[in-house]
Amino acid sequence: MPQFATLARELGLSQRTLRRRLLDEQTSYRALVDEVRDTLAMELLATTQLSIEQIAHRLGYSETSAFHHAFTRWHNAPPGSFR
């Protein structure tokens, strides 16, 4: 995922303007990143034989445990239960 500053620059906006526009939509950069990661995680779990560690790495997590915690927060169940 691109850094917030990189995304703002690519959109031709200042970071402050992008943050304000996201706030106007009642969301945040972090929430959008989580949504994308969640969607991709579900797709990868359902359609590939990649390990949990490989999926975590593809989604940009430096530690598998961080992915595991995030997925559990999103679905109230660990990623392995969706296989």
Side-chain angles (χ1 to χ4, degrees):
M1 299 291 161
Q3 296 294 319
F4 185 79
T6 303
L7 179 62
R9 187 173 51 255
E10 288 178 4
L11 293 172
L13 301 170
S14 70
Q15 291 181 49
R16 180 176 167 90
T17 298
L18 179 54
R19 193 168 288 112
R20 244 189 347 261
R21 289 189 181 174
L22 290 171
L23 187 60
D24 288 345
E25 296 295 325
Q26 298 179 345
T27 193
S28 67
Y29 181 69
R30 170 60 52 208
L32 293 175
V33 168
D34 279 351
E35 184 178 333
V36 168
R37 283 178 164 170
D38 178 31
T39 300
L40 291 173
M42 293 296 288
E43 181 178 331
L44 291 170
L45 286 167
T47 63
T48 71
Q49 294 301 315
L50 294 173
S51 69
I52 302 296
E53 293 80 16
Q54 291 169 316
I55 292 172
H57 179 71
R58 283 197 178 189
L59 296 177
Y61 289 95
S62 59
E63 298 289 330
T64 303
S65 61
F67 168 64
H68 189 274
H69 290 297
F71 192 92
T72 302
R73 186 179 76 242
W74 301 328
H75 298 284
N76 295 318
S81 67
F82 284 82
R83 282 255 145 115

